[in-house]
C-alpha cells in the first residue's frame, strides 16, 4: 500500500493508519501441492457445489419450489473465503462453470418444441409458453446461486470480488474454456443490473471529505499516482474537481473515480494539471473557467470491469458541472495511450528483420536518427524507447517528434480489433461519442508516460450535441470521428508506409 505523507491532524492520521481489520471467514486451507490434500480438496469442492447448487426444478414447479436455504449459500461463501490460493479459487470456479451450467439436453428438447409449433397453426399463447420454457432451460444453474448470494448481507460485494478472482484466473490461464467465459458473461450481466445508474450515487471529494475516502481515492489512482497528502490536497482543491460513484448499499465507498481540471483552454500537458510548479489561486475566478478536462478515470473494483460505469459517471459529472458553471463550453479528456510503446517496439522489431526500407521512417529521418544514436535507426531506437532515455536529448527528441506523432495517430485511428479501436482508452471514449481531437507531444514526461506511450497523450473532445450521433456511427459502422490534425497525421503515415 502506498503511504501518504502525514500532513494531517493526529486524530485523522490515527484513523488512517489503523484501518479496521476484516475478519476472515472460516474455511478449508488445504495445500493443493500434496496429492492427498489435493484430492481431499477436490472432493470437498464437489460436495459443496452439489449441496449449494441444486438441480433446476421442473418448469411447472419453478414458482412453487422453496427458496434456497440461506445457510447453503453461506456455506459456499465461507468455503470460498477459506481458499488461500488463487489456483484453488480458480479450480472451484472452473468446476462451478463446467458442471452447473445449462442442461443442453433440455435446451435441445425445448428448441425442437418451439420449431415444431412454428410450423403448425397454433394459438399465440401456446407458442409464447413454449418460448418461455426455452428461456427457462437456457438459465444456467449457477445463476440461481449468484442470485441468492446477492440477497445476503455483503453478498453483492462478495460477487464483485469473486468476478475479480475469475478475471485474474483467466488472465493467468488457470482456468479457461467456453463454459468459464459464459459464466463470466452471466455474472457481468447480473452485476450490470445491480450497478445500473439508478442504484449509483454521485459524490464529490473535497479536502474535508472523510480521511478514509481520501485514502481510497489516492490508492485507487491508476493513471497519475498520488505521492503525498499535499498532492492529494492539490487534486481536490481550487480549479479541480473529483467525483466518484458509490452504490446505494455502500454509500461513501468509491467504485469509480473521475478527476477534472477546470481551465480556460484544452490542456495539452499533464504537467500543467498535476505538477504544483504551476501555481493556482486559492479562490476560483469563475469567469476564467470555460473548459473541463477529464484527466483521470480509475476503477476501484476489478470485478466491475466491463460494467458500464465510466460512461455514466462522465455524463453525470458533465451535468453537475453545467449546473455549477453554466458558461462551460468545452469538455475534453487528456488521456494516456497505454500500449503504444509496446505496439511500436513490436513494429520496429519486425521491420528491422526485413533489412529494407521500413516504411516507418523517411530516409532523412533514418539518417538523422542513426547519426544521433550511432547505429541503424530501427535497432538503436528499441532500447531507447523502452527506457525513455531518448527524451533526455533535445536533438533526438526533435528528430523523433514527426515519426512518433504520425505512428501514434495510426495506432489510435488505424489499428483495430474486430473493427474497433485497438487501444482500450480510445475505444472507451469513442464509444461514448467523443472525437479523436488532438495528439500532444511530450504531454507526459514522467517515467511511466515515456515508457508506456513515448510521452504522448491525446485529447478526446466531447461535443455534447454530437455525442449520440458519433457513438452510433462508431458502434454501428465502426467509423471514427477525428480532427483534421489526426487525419493529416494518419495520411502522412499511409503515404510514407504505402499502406
Amino acid at each position: 500500500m502506498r503511504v501518504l505523507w502525514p500532513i494531517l491532524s493526529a486524530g485523522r492520521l490515527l484513523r488512517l493508519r489503523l484501518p479496521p481489520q476484516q475478519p476472515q471467514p472460516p474455511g478449508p486451507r488445504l495445500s493443493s501441492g500434496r496429492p492427498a490434500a489435493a484430492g481431499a480438496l477436490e472432493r470437498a469442492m464437489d460436495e459443496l457445489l452439489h449441496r449449494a447448487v441444486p438441480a433446476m426444478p421442473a418448469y411447472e414447479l419453478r414458482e412453487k419450489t422453496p427458496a434456497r436455504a440461506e445457510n447453503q449459500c453461506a456455506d459456499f461463501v465461507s468455503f470460498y473465503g477459506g481458499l488461500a490460493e488463487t489456483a484453488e479459487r480458480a479450480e472451484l470456479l472452473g468446476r462451478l462453470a463446467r458442471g452447473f451450467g445449462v442442461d443442453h439436453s433440455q435446451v435441445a428438447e425445448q428448441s425442437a418444441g418451439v420449431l415444431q409449433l412454428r410450423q403448425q397453426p397454433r394459438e399465440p399463447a401456446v407458442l409464447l409458453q413454449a418460448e418461455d420454457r426455452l428461456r427457462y432451460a437456457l438459465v444456467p444453474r449457477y445463476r440461481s446461486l449468484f442470485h441468492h448470494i446477492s440477497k445476503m448481507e455483503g453478498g453483492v460485494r462478495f460477487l464483485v470480488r469473486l468476478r475479480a478472482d475469475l478475471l485474474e484466473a483467466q488472465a493467468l490461464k488457470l482456468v479457461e474454456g467456453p463454459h468459464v467465459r459464459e459464466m463470466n458473461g452471466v455474472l457481468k450481466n447480473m452485476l450490470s443490473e445491480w450497478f445500473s445508474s439508478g442504484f449509483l450515487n454521485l459524490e464529490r471529494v473535497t479536502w474535508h471529505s472523510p480521511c478514509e475516502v481520501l485514502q481510497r481515492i489516492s490508492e485507487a489512482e491508476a493513471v497519475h499516482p498520488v505521492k503525498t497528502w499535499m498532492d492529494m490536497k492539490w487534486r481536490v482543491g481550487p480549479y479541480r474537481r473529483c467525483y466518484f460513484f458509490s452504490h446505494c448499499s455502500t454509500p461513501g465507498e468509491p467504485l469509480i473515480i473521475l478527476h477534472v481540471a477546470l481551465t480556460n483552454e484544452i490542456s495539452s500537458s499533464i504537467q500543467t494539471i498535476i505538477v504544483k510548479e504551476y501555481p493556482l489561486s486559492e479562490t476560483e475566478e469563475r469567469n476564467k473557467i470555460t473548459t473541463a478536462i477529464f484527466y483521470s478515470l480509475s476503477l476501484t473494483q476489478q470485478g466491475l470491469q466491463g460494467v458500464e460505469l465510466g460512461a455514466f459517471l462522465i455524463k453525470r459529472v458533465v451535468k453537475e458541472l453545467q449546473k455549477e458553471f453554466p458558461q462551460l463550453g468545452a469538455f475534453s479528456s487528456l488521456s494516456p495511450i497505454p500500449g503504444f510503446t509496446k505496439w511500436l517496439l513490436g513494429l520496429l522489431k519486425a521491420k528491422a528483420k526485413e533489412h529494407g526500407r521500413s516504411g516507418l521512417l523517411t530516409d532523412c529521418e533514418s539518417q538523422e536518427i542513426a547519426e544521433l544514436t550511432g547505429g541503424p535507426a530501427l535497432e538503436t531506437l528499441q532500447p531507447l524507447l523502452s527506457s525513455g532515455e531518448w527524451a533526455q536529448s533535445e536533438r533526438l527528441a526533435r528528430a523523433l517528434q514527426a515519426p512518433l506523432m504520425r505512428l501514434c495517430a495510426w495506432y489510435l485511428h488505424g489499428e483495430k480489433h474486430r473493427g474497433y479501436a485497438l487501444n482500450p482508452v480510445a475505444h472507451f471514449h469513442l464509444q461514448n461519442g467523443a472525437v479523436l481531437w488532438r495528439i500532444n507531444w511530450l504531454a507526459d514526461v514522467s517515467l511511466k508516460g515515456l515508457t508506456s506511450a513515448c510521452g504522448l497523450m491525446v485529447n478526446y473532445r466531447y461535443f455534447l450535441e454530437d455525442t449520440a450521433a458519433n457513438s452510433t456511427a462508431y458502434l454501428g459502422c465502426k467509423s471514427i470521428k477525428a480532427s483534421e490534425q489526426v487525419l493529416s497525421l494518419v495520411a502522412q503515415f499511409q503515404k510514407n508506409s504505402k499502406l
Side-chain angles (χ1 to χ4, degrees), residues 341 344-345 348 378 380-390 400 404 450-454:
T341 301
L344 179 55
L345 290 174
L348 290 172
L378 298 186
T380 55
L381 277 180
Q382 293 178 44
L384 291 173
L385 293 175
S386 297
S387 64
E389 293 179 3
W390 60 272
L400 287 174
L404 288 181
L450 289 170
T451 54
S452 66
C454 299

Side-chain angles (χ1 to χ4, degrees), residues 83-388:
L83 296 174
E85 303 295 331
T86 301
E88 294 173 348
R89 294 193 293 271
E91 177 66 23
L92 178 61
L93 294 175
R95 287 171 179 266
L96 178 63
R98 291 188 297 270
F100 299 86
V102 169
D103 185 337
H104 298 293
S105 61
Q106 276 293 313
V107 172
E109 181 180 334
Q110 299 303 330
S111 298
V114 170
L115 290 173
Q116 184 177 2
L117 288 172
R118 285 180 59 84
Q119 295 169 358
Q120 303 172 359
R122 293 281 186 174
E123 290 292 328
V126 176
L127 179 59
L128 289 173
Q129 186 182 52
E131 291 173 343
D132 192 48
R133 286 176 176 271
L134 175 58
R135 278 193 295 272
Y136 182 70
L138 286 167
V139 176
R141 287 171 60 182
Y142 49 69
R143 194 184 192 284
S144 177
L145 173 66
F146 297 154
H147 176 71
H148 289 296
I149 289 176
S150 73
K151 297 181 179 181
M152 299 170 56
E153 183 177 356
V156 173
R157 183 181 298 182
F158 168 82
L159 292 172
V160 172
R161 291 198 301 266
L162 182 144
R163 182 164 182 258
D165 291 341
L166 181 59
L167 292 172
E168 180 185 15
Q170 288 180 285
L172 296 173
K173 299 190 182 303
L174 295 174
V175 60
E176 298 179 274
H179 294 92
V180 174
R181 292 193 295 272
E182 175 68 14
M183 188 171 77
N184 176 49
V186 168
L187 187 52
K188 187 189 91 167
N189 290 337
M190 296 178 78
L191 290 171
S192 295
E193 293 179 6
W194 298 328
F195 287 88
S196 63
S197 58
F199 298 109
L200 300 174
N201 302 317
L202 180 67
E203 302 189 40
R204 180 183 166 189
V205 182
T206 70
W207 186 238
H208 302 292
S209 296
C211 184
E212 292 82 0
V213 172
L214 291 169
Q215 182 72 23
R216 287 291 306 277
I217 297 294
S218 69
E219 291 173 351
E221 177 53 48
V223 185
H224 308 290
V226 178
K227 300 176 182 178
T228 68
W229 273 116
M230 290 306 295
D231 193 4
M232 188 70 226
K233 185 176 182 180
W234 173 268
R235 299 192 193 194
V236 297
Y239 297 99
R240 300 291 180 266
R241 294 294 185 270
C242 179
Y243 298 93
F244 67 84
F245 268 152
S246 64
H247 194 262
C248 59
S249 65
T250 54
E253 182 174 331
L255 299 175
I256 187 168
I257 305 155
L258 179 65
H259 286 271
V260 186
L262 302 174
T263 68
N264 60 0
E265 62 180 359
I266 296 180
S267 304
S268 60
S269 168
I270 195 63
Q271 282 76 235
T272 61
I273 293 178
I274 65 171
V275 178
K276 291 176 284 299
E277 280 72 15
Y278 299 86
L280 295 175
S281 168
E282 288 296 323
T283 304
E284 292 177 346
E285 298 183 48
R286 298 176 64 87
N287 62 327
K288 292 185 177 180
I289 297 174
T290 62
T291 305
I293 305 295
F294 312 124
Y295 69 91
S296 176
L297 184 67
S298 298
L299 188 68
T300 69
Q301 307 288 335
Q302 294 308 306
L304 295 176
Q305 283 184 28
V307 177
E308 193 174 1
L309 296 177
F312 288 149
L313 181 55
I314 289 177
K315 291 176 182 177
R316 289 278 294 275
V317 167
V318 166
K319 291 181 180 179
E320 197 72 15
L321 292 173
Q322 286 178 318
K323 292 178 186 176
E324 188 178 3
F325 303 100
Q327 76 277 16
L328 275 180
F331 297 89
S332 174
S333 77
L334 180 60
S335 301
I337 313 173
F340 172 57
T341 301
K342 182 179 179 181
W343 170 84
L344 179 55
L345 290 174
L347 201 58
L348 290 172
K349 186 176 181 179
K351 293 294 184 181
K353 293 180 179 179
E354 296 178 6
H355 302 293
R357 188 177 183 277
S358 69
L360 302 181
L361 304 172
T362 66
D363 293 338
C364 291
E365 289 168 348
S366 294
Q367 182 178 351
E368 183 179 7
I369 293 170
E371 291 174 357
L372 292 171
T373 59
L378 298 186
E379 287 85 346
T380 55
L381 277 180
Q382 293 178 44
L384 291 173
L385 293 175
S386 297
S387 64

Side-chain angles (χ1 to χ4, degrees), residues 336 412 421-432 436 458 460 474:
L412 293 172
L422 174 66
N423 182 267
V425 178
H427 177 67
F428 169 78
H429 287 290
L430 292 170
Q431 71 178 349
N432 292 341
L436 179 53
V458 57
Y460 297 99
Y474 178 70

